[in-house]
Amino acid sequence: MIQSEQQRRAYLDALGIDVWLPRDQGEPRLDDQPAERAEAPADLPGWVDLEKAVSSCTQCALHQSRTQTVFGVGNRNADWLIVGEAPGAEEDRRGEPFVGRAGKLLDEMLKALGLDRNTVFIANILKCRPPNNRDPKQDEADACRSYLNRQIDLIKPKIILAVGRIAAQQLLGRDDPVGKLRGTVHRLDEIPVVVTYHPAYLLRSPSQKAKSWRDLCLAVAASEMRAR
Ligand code: URA
């Protein structure tokens, strides 16, 4: 999966990340408070029904202002599931997650790992855009959660990468800041979850990109632990 060292260095250079070689980080630190999801209902939709249910969803007020739902995109058998916050204006217009400037950076980060948006699956906590890009409200996240849970069950990823505070807090049921949640391998029903900064934040604070690269390396290590 990892590309040649030369290619990876080229991508990291393009990202503006100082090139460094991961040292032996020892065994990844495991969170001792695994998150658990509520029991799933018995009658569970497959991909086709799930997509239909999302596209016609009216479970929260966001359906009134959306252009369209943003279901998620990529490989439905992916090892990597990337979870962001919610669609922005461009995503609401195009119906695909992470297609704006932050999405371009996410693509570059994935490329540095030898991945792209067709080999991973990318989804959000919310399937509809909150007006004016405000933070999701808890009742909206709750209303949308069963869709993401079902996506996780269908994909069975080896690793979930939570990008940004909202994704991390919602997935893990925690209210700590990203700075506290990153650097540890959390678990959601036994699936490793690694937290990193949101690419929109990295665009504003490029000096944090090196930390984000470390998070991606941790996610690689965690996904390989899961594969064993
Ligand atoms: N930010 C997100 O968290 N998700 C998107 O799909 C776009 C921007």
Side-chain angles (χ1 to χ4, degrees):
M1 176 186 55
I2 298 286
Q3 301 187 332
S4 74
E5 192 52 38
Q6 207 181 4
Q7 262 174 318
R8 190 168 62 159
R9 282 180 179 227
Y11 286 127
L12 291 173
D13 267 346
L15 281 172
I17 294 175
D18 285 343
V19 174
W20 58 280
L21 292 173
R23 299 207 186 98
D24 181 12
Q25 297 172 334
E27 280 294 299
R29 184 152 49 99
L30 283 172
D31 183 20
D32 56 5
Q33 293 175 287
E36 280 178 21
R37 292 178 291 153
E39 200 66 20
D43 205 10
L44 295 169
W47 281 109
V48 172
D49 288 339
L50 184 64
E51 210 163 351
K52 265 194 219 151
V54 167
S55 68
S56 59
C57 181
T58 55
Q59 292 203 53
C60 80
L62 294 180
H63 76 276
Q64 292 161 349
S65 52
R66 73 183 178 219
T67 304
Q68 59 190 312
T69 55
V70 178
F71 180 71
V73 72
N75 178 355
R76 293 175 173 188
N77 294 307
D79 287 347
W80 284 60
L81 171 62
I82 317 294
V83 180
E85 175 178 330
E90 187 69 7
E91 289 79 16
D92 173 71
R93 201 172 60 76
R94 291 178 44 187
E96 184 172 333
F98 281 104
V99 287
R101 273 185 75 220
K104 300 260 171 318
L105 179 56
L106 178 65
D107 287 346
E108 292 302 316
M109 290 160 68
L110 292 173
K111 265 193 212 163
L113 296 173
L115 300 168
D116 65 39
R117 61 170 54 226
N118 301 313
T119 54
V120 304
F121 195 90
I122 306 177
N124 281 308
I125 295 293
L126 294 190
K127 308 299 188 212
C128 295
R129 180 192 182 207
N132 306 316
N133 297 338
R134 64 156 169 75
D135 282 357
K137 294 182 181 164
Q138 190 56 50
D139 66 309
E140 296 161 351
D142 291 344
C144 227
R145 183 60 189 256
S146 66
Y147 300 134
L148 180 61
N149 284 349
R150 188 64 189 140
Q151 288 177 314
I152 295 171
D153 287 340
L154 288 166
I155 296 166
K156 299 186 185 62
K158 292 204 173 97
I159 179 76
I160 298 176
L161 183 69
V163 298
R165 177 179 62 85
I166 302 283
Q169 292 180 341
Q170 289 294 333
L171 278 172
L172 299 173
R174 303 267 293 266
D175 55 12
D176 304 290
V178 170
K180 185 141 184 240
L181 293 172
R182 57 177 292 279
T184 297
V185 180
H186 306 272
R187 278 160 294 158
L188 176 61
D189 293 342
E190 296 307 315
I191 302 170
V193 179
V194 167
V195 172
T196 194
Y197 295 109
H198 195 286
Y201 169 74
L202 295 176
L203 288 171
R204 296 192 302 274
S205 308
S207 63
Q208 303 298 312
K209 284 182 181 173
K211 284 192 198 160
S212 185
W213 175 242
R214 254 176 266 152
D215 299 334
L216 296 185
C217 292
L218 179 62
V220 169
S223 70
E224 287 168 358
M225 275 171 64
R226 173 82 176 169
R228 285 202 290 263

